[in-house]
């Protein structure tokens, strides 16, 4: 099973991929919640558009790190496909916002994502960049990335709680250690 086989009937994803292919000045990739959630939806037999909000698009261009350039690409995408809430980010500058060392490549930027199931990008020809592979995503496993475990302690569990993934996609799997920690934090927040 691969991402294209899972998503080839998803109208929204196909529309996004087609839109990305019309931008020729950068090599754009779909990533984040739209990609991850679309796959989770399919694997849960949910509606294709369940929990699909803004569309995270990434690229890597160290020669133009201006936010205005990202907005320019967003505006181009809005003209092509106004039904999508586009969010375009040049990963050559995102290390500053994230408090990381420079990424050096799109692969390295994805390596710094908090969970393996989100550290996946899909290009206009359905090519995949996934520094941790796609098995966790396809197996519905929530796994903290090595980068996050080392440099951003607590971020992974905070995201699981904040985004309520376990409530929205009940077949998602967590390690027992993470499940226990998440339950304890949710309980302490409820008591406070």
């Amino acid at each position: 099973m691969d991402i294209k086989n899972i998503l080839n009937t998803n109208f929204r994803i196909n529309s996004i991929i087609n839109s990305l292919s019309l931008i020729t000045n950068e090599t754009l990739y779909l990533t984040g919640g739209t990609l991850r959630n679309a796959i989770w939806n399919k694997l849960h037999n949910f509606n294709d558009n369940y929990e699909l909000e803004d569309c995270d698009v990434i690229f890597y261009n160290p020669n133009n790190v201006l936010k205005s350039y990202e907005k320019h690409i967003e505006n181009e995408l809005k003209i092509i496909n106004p039904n999508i809430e586009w969010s375009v980010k040049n990963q050559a500058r995102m290390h500053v916002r994230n408090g990381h060392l420079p990424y050096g490549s799109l692969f390295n930027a994805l390596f710094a994502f908090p969970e393996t199931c989100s550290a996946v990008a899909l290009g206009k020809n359905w090519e995949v960049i996934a520094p941790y592979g796609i098995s966790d995503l396809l197996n519905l496993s929530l796994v903290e990335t090595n980068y996050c475990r080392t440099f951003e302690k607590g971020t992974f569990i905070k995201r699981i709680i904040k985004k309520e993934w376990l409530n929205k996609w009940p077949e998602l799997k967590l390690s027992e250690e993470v499940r226990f920690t998440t339950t304890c934090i949710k309980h302490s927040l409820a008591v406070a």
Side-chain angles (χ1 to χ4, degrees), residues 60-73:
Y60 189 86
N61 181 347
N63 298 317
N64 192 343
V65 293
L66 298 173
K67 280 186 179 182
S68 60
Y69 182 58
E70 294 169 1
K71 289 294 178 196
H72 171 74
I73 295 172

Side-chain angles (χ1 to χ4, degrees), residues 1-10 38-39 42-43 138:
M1 183 180 344
D2 66 16
I3 290 175
K4 186 173 184 180
N5 288 335
I6 293 171
L7 297 178
N8 66 354
T9 60
N10 185 309
I39 290 171
K42 189 69 164 183
L43 296 174
L138 300 182

Side-chain angles (χ1 to χ4, degrees), residues 2-14 30 34-42 48 122 126:
D2 66 16
I3 290 175
K4 186 173 184 180
N5 288 335
I6 293 171
L7 297 178
N8 66 354
T9 60
N10 185 309
F11 176 79
R12 183 180 174 93
I13 298 298
N14 277 284
L30 170 63
T34 297
L35 178 59
R36 180 196 61 236
N37 297 357
I39 290 171
W40 286 352
N41 289 343
K42 189 69 164 183
D48 281 349
L122 182 64
W126 294 86

Side-chain angles (χ1 to χ4, degrees), residues 34 38-39 61 75 77-78 85 88 93 127 129 151 156:
T34 297
I39 290 171
N61 181 347
N75 290 333
L77 288 166
K78 284 178 188 174
E85 183 66 34
V88 177
R93 75 166 189 84
E127 68 273 21
I129 301 175
F151 299 107
F156 174 65

Side-chain angles (χ1 to χ4, degrees), residues 140-152:
L140 298 171
S141 297
L142 289 171
V143 178
E144 186 174 26
T145 64
N146 295 333
Y147 187 94
C148 189
R149 189 177 304 111
T150 304
F151 299 107
E152 297 182 337

